Amino acid sequence: MIMPSILVTCYSRTGKTKILAEAIGKGAKEVDGVTVDVLSFNRVSASDMVRYDGIVLGSPVYFGGVASELKELIDDTTFVRGKLVGKVGAAFTTSGDRHGGKETAILSIVQAMLIHGMIVVGDPISEENANEEHNGGHYGLAADGQITEKDLRLAQNFGKYVAGVVKRLN
């Protein structure tokens, strides 16, 4: 039996977004029966995405959007059009500023996933975090400023949630 698989990748200029990607991957790996690859951005092509059942993409925020490097990868997915239909997609971002455009950056990733017919999952606030300030954008995972232990915990929960959805759908 082939286990469902998840790709987690991001563009990260300073390493902060990569730290979040690794935490998402760590959480996803907690789900039995799912394989998870956390790959460096320069090792991933649009055609690689076709092999996975779940795809989690991340980027730092630049002027309210994603890094041009991630946008280029997203643009390259036009060459695999029709091959991402029904796969689970999720997005995450980091910004230096609390109001740095995290939601708009996440939505640009999500928009591409929806165009491909992917099943997009957001970042629901868990009951355990319901009464504390949440740094996410609901549309995906978000962090700003320096990455904290709380950000890492939320990233792991997000990865676990995405992996659970992938497992249920496969």
Side-chain angles (χ1 to χ4, degrees):
M1 180 177 157
I2 298 174
M3 290 195 297
S5 60
I6 297 173
L7 168 66
V8 180
T9 192
C10 67
Y11 174 75
S12 183
R13 181 174 295 161
T14 65
K16 188 166 72 170
T17 311
K18 183 179 178 186
I19 291 169
L20 217 54
E22 290 167 351
I24 291 167
K26 181 178 178 182
K29 289 176 182 177
E30 292 178 25
V31 176
D32 290 331
V34 177
T35 62
V36 181
D37 291 334
V38 181
L39 298 179
S40 296
F41 182 77
N42 61 356
R43 293 188 50 211
V44 176
S45 69
S47 59
D48 292 330
M49 292 187 207
V50 174
R51 297 192 323 255
Y52 293 92
D53 301 298
I55 301 164
V56 184
L57 297 177
S59 173
V61 177
Y62 295 124
F63 301 102
V66 298
S68 62
E69 292 83 353
L70 183 69
K71 177 67 169 91
E72 184 177 349
L73 176 63
I74 290 170
D75 289 347
D76 285 346
T77 63
T78 59
F79 299 108
V80 295
R81 182 97 183 192
K83 296 180 181 174
L84 300 177
V85 173
K87 295 179 184 294
V88 173
F92 67 101
T93 192
T94 58
S95 72
D97 184 14
R98 182 173 186 90
H99 301 287
K102 296 178 301 240
E103 288 183 344
T104 54
I106 288 171
L107 285 173
S108 66
I109 298 170
V110 166
Q111 180 183 26
M113 291 175 169
L114 289 170
I115 290 168
H116 279 291
M118 296 176 71
I119 301 164
V120 176
V121 296
D123 183 23
I125 298 174
S126 66
E127 278 188 45
E128 67 190 51
N129 297 317
N131 293 323
E132 57 184 84
E133 185 177 356
H134 192 264
N135 197 14
H138 303 297
Y139 307 112
L141 181 73
D144 56 53
Q146 295 302 311
I147 301 295
T148 66
E149 287 300 318
K150 180 180 174 187
D151 292 325
L152 295 174
R153 181 173 41 84
L154 292 172
Q156 288 175 4
N157 289 344
F158 182 60
K160 190 173 182 177
Y161 172 70
V162 172
V165 172
V166 170
K167 184 176 180 178
R168 281 193 303 275
L169 291 175
N170 288 277

